[in-house]
Amino acid sequence: MKQAWCYLTALSCLRLVDPKFAWIVKPVPSNNLMDSEPADGMSPKRTSDGEEILNKSIKRRIEVLELADIKREYDLVHSRLQLIQKDPNAIHTASVPLSASETVALLVGGGLFDTAIHVCQAFDLSLAPVFEGLASRCVSLMHQSTRNVKEHFDSAETWEWLAENEITDTQCVSDPSGQRQAWLLLQNYLNRYEKPGMTTYHRCVATRLLALGAALPTWFQNSYKKHNIAELLMLYVMYDLVSEAVELTVEYIDATLGHGKEYFGLKHALHGTAPPVWMPHNVFDHILTALSENRSGLVLTQVEKMMQCKLDQYYQLLERASEAKATLIGQLPSSSAMITSLMETT
């Protein structure tokens, strides 16, 4: 607590002075004062010639701390104080120096996800541990609900850690269960912190859910297939969910043919006058290979035929679209002919 007050005092004082002078000079700890480590076989107090090293030869180093540096250290101390308030038995977390990543791990374990995200952003750390921890909690609550253990599913402990995190107005109360609130918190984090064009945290969550044997929620699949359908299909193959991969593949091929393209974020469907539509053919090959290696079951055999039939339909329409585009290009005058025509008219 005293350390937190000291940081707050320093921040308050520095905010009162001119920003050009809002910094503090801090000496480096004594164990880092030597310019370099002594060579092997050399006495730390004498040179290689046996001459005594005087204290004046030791150069002191200093470190300049600005407002942002002190603010980060305060955030780290404040987060540890929150852990102590939540669990008085964890008082050792305040006395033992902890790195930012170690503090984040403790915060995630205590269900303080908002605070963990704040520390990650302050120290430029990945939010992957936060998403992994929250996904694990969601699965745990789901299993408790399946076993109909009411006293655990709606326990005070569940609502206690949920209350420690921001529950937005979008998290409706039509299903006020702890499991529903946890999933909505995870969805809110993905919408807020996943960078445009990236699927780093989508992949992180999907990997944790599939590793724990949980099915991907519908809202999560809808979000993932808009961001990176190929990556989602490969995850299904990696976790031996070939039937799910085929079902999603058929759905995506239908979208490229114009049936539900908005669900995959496609702007155009396959057509002779439209721009090309990207298809992850290498992923399709992985799926077909996985199906051929597990052809013993009747269900997988039927699934393989369904996927191959849908691919054949796509290739037929692709051939027609290519012919239509080639015909259209052939009807257009070439650039040189257009230039010649313009020169003749002038």
Side-chain angles (χ1 to χ4, degrees):
M1 181 66 73
K2 291 182 179 180
Q3 191 177 13
W5 279 112
C6 289
Y7 281 130
L8 283 175
T9 303
L11 289 171
S12 300
C13 293
L14 290 178
R15 288 192 176 105
L16 295 175
V17 302
D18 191 311
K20 294 186 296 184
F21 305 104
W23 46 268
I24 294 177
V25 175
K26 171 188 173 183
V28 175
S30 56
N31 58 345
N32 295 329
L33 290 180
M34 296 298 295
D35 285 341
S36 60
E37 294 292 333
D40 294 338
M42 182 190 299
S43 171
K45 297 182 179 180
R46 296 182 180 275
T47 65
S48 58
D49 298 331
E51 297 181 1
E52 184 179 0
I53 300 176
L54 301 179
N55 290 335
K56 64 180 180 180
S57 64
I58 300 178
K59 297 181 180 180
R60 283 193 172 273
R61 298 176 181 174
I62 59 174
E63 183 180 2
V64 178
L65 299 179
E66 298 180 347
L67 271 170
D69 302 319
I70 301 175
K71 180 65 168 58
R72 282 196 296 268
E73 294 301 324
Y74 168 74
D75 291 337
L76 202 58
V77 173
H78 184 261
S79 62
R80 295 208 296 265
L81 290 176
Q82 286 183 275
L83 285 170
I84 296 174
Q85 292 174 356
K86 184 176 177 61
D87 182 12
N89 295 326
I91 192 170
H92 63 279
T93 59
S95 57
V96 179
L98 298 175
S99 66
S101 57
E102 292 171 335
T103 304
V104 168
L106 291 175
L107 291 169
V108 170
L112 301 174
F113 298 105
D114 279 358
T115 306
I117 288 176
H118 182 72
V119 174
C120 287
Q121 291 176 332
F123 287 87
D124 197 22
L125 301 176
S126 172
L127 299 182
V130 179
F131 282 98
E132 290 176 353
L134 183 53
S136 299
R137 293 229 174 192
C138 290
V139 174
S140 178
L141 290 174
M142 183 177 61
H143 290 334
Q144 292 173 8
S145 174
T146 303
R147 292 194 299 265
N148 294 322
V149 186
K150 184 70 176 178
E151 62 273 15
H152 292 291
F153 179 56
D154 289 332
S155 64
E157 181 182 356
T158 299
W159 288 107
E160 182 181 351
W161 72 261
L162 282 170
E164 295 288 347
N165 303 284
E166 180 182 0
I167 300 178
T168 63
D169 295 336
T170 58
Q171 297 182 235
C172 57
V173 293
S174 57
D175 181 8
S177 64
Q179 177 191 351
R180 174 63 175 166
Q181 296 298 321
W183 284 115
L184 286 172
L185 184 63
L186 178 59
Q187 183 178 5
N188 182 40
Y189 283 166
L190 281 173
N191 293 335
R192 184 183 302 181
Y193 299 112
E194 187 72 276
K195 296 180 180 179
M198 302 290 291
T199 54
T200 304
Y201 300 134
H202 277 79
R203 180 182 179 87
C204 177
V205 171
T207 302
R208 177 54 59 94
L209 294 178
L210 295 176
L212 294 175
L216 302 183
T218 303
W219 64 265
F220 181 78
Q221 293 184 58
N222 293 337
S223 176
Y224 208 157
K225 65 187 185 184
K226 280 186 177 181
H227 286 81
N228 195 334
I229 178 64
E231 188 173 86
L232 178 57
L233 287 172
M234 280 304 301
L235 284 174
Y236 277 143
V237 175
M238 289 171 57
Y239 286 91
D240 202 23
L241 299 173
V242 187
S243 298
E244 288 80 354
V246 171
E247 182 179 351
L248 187 59
T249 298
V250 171
E251 186 181 350
Y252 181 69
I253 295 176
D254 284 335
T256 61
L257 301 180
H259 307 290
K261 64 180 185 298
E262 64 276 5
Y263 298 116
F264 290 85
L266 298 176
K267 297 181 179 179
H268 308 282
L270 182 62
H271 195 272
T273 59
V277 179
W278 176 78
M279 293 286 282
H281 292 286
N282 59 329
V283 179
F284 295 163
D285 291 339
H286 283 291
I287 297 174
L288 291 173
T289 301
L291 286 170
S292 62
E293 293 174 352
N294 298 277
R295 197 175 290 168
S296 57
L298 178 62
V299 175
L300 289 181
T301 303
Q302 294 175 345
V303 167
E304 183 180 7
K305 291 181 179 179
M306 179 179 65
M307 179 174 175
Q308 193 62 59
C309 179
K310 184 59 64 174
L311 283 173
D312 292 339
Q313 180 185 357
Y314 165 76
Y315 291 136
Q316 291 175 4
L317 292 177
L318 177 62
E319 184 178 359
R320 295 176 190 174
S322 300
E323 292 175 354
K325 186 178 287 293
T327 303
L328 180 62
I329 294 175
Q331 292 175 352
L332 294 175
S334 63
S335 58
S336 58
M338 294 177 64
I339 293 174
T340 303
S341 177
L342 287 173
M343 291 178 64
E344 291 177 351
T345 56
T346 56

